[in-house]
Amino acid sequence: MTDWTALIRDVPDYPKPGILFKDITPLLADHAAFTQVVDELGDGLAFDKVVGIEARGFILAAPVAYRSGAGFVPVRKEGKLPSETYEASYDLEYGSATIEVHADAFEPGDRVLIVDDVLATGGTARAAVELVRRTGAQVVAVSFLMELSFLSGRDRLPGLEVRTLLTV
Ligand SMILES: O=P(O)(O)OC[C@H]1O[C@H](OP(=O)(O)OP(=O)(O)O)[C@H](O)[C@@H]1O
Ligand SMILES: Nc1ncnc2[nH]cnc12
């Protein structure tokens, strides 16, 4: 894949002092970069549903589902899903959060690809994996646009295929 790192903007001290925020909006605005990234996130993997994690994960996961003929399932921040949910709480680089998935989002035996923009500490992805597994579905891989390798998020996803397209 082309190295699109130049389209990731570094924003110091956002959202808190000491955090170097990786802003993906320049990459999203570039058609060639955006489409290649969407193509690569699911390439060669077999799955029935794509999970996108609110909010930036939605931007990437929905087109991955569309292009691969899979369904899309949102994992949302707490209180946003209207029906019965499972929830998981976790810490991330600049705070903590709770995410939820609809308890009936998957068919028994569904193979699930989880997609998000950034793998940092891995807290968010770990919680999403737990949610999918609680429903009885199977996580086949976790794909990210970008990995912040100094935070070792991969270590929180043992035994899983972890795909990252850019590493910083
Ligand atoms: O690996 P971690 O340390 O868990 O961090 C990665 C998560 O942080 C960001 O989400 P954020 O909660 O900022 O939400 P947003 O997508 O709504 O901006 C990013 O989109 C990932 O989901
Ligand atoms: N440094 C960072 N930049 C962008 N998104 C993030 N999510 C967690 N850490 C992040």
Side-chain angles (χ1 to χ4, degrees), residues 4-151:
W4 299 110
T5 309
L7 293 176
I8 305 291
R9 173 166 53 194
D10 285 352
V11 182
D13 299 320
Y14 179 88
K16 289 183 174 173
I19 301 292
L20 182 63
F21 192 83
K22 298 290 182 179
D23 176 19
I24 65 167
T25 61
L27 185 150
L28 298 175
D30 184 301
H31 178 75
F34 183 43
T35 52
Q36 192 180 35
V37 160
V38 168
D39 289 348
E40 297 280 335
L41 284 168
D43 189 49
L45 299 169
F47 48 87
D48 307 296
K49 301 254 168 53
V50 181
V51 159
I53 304 175
E54 185 177 0
R56 282 174 270 155
F58 290 174
I59 299 165
L60 298 170
V64 171
Y66 179 84
R67 87 176 283 285
S68 54
F72 173 79
V73 172
V75 161
R76 297 209 61 179
K77 304 282 165 55
E78 66 181 325
K80 297 290 188 180
L81 289 172
S83 191
E84 185 193 339
T85 61
Y86 296 123
E87 67 172 47
S89 299
Y90 58 96
D91 292 324
L92 69 169
E93 204 187 353
Y94 37 69
S96 61
T98 299
I99 52 175
E100 298 182 334
V101 70
H102 272 145
D104 62 356
F106 304 101
E107 305 295 327
D110 263 354
R111 297 164 301 171
V112 177
L113 170 65
I114 296 174
V115 170
D116 205 355
D117 64 332
V118 175
L119 174 62
T121 66
T124 307
R126 177 71 236 166
V129 168
E130 281 168 18
L131 286 182
V132 171
R133 287 179 174 163
R134 225 179 291 168
T135 70
Q138 174 200 351
V139 179
V140 295
V142 192
S143 290
F144 303 87
L145 166 58
M146 191 183 356
E147 173 174 9
L148 308 186
S149 55
F150 64 96
L151 290 170

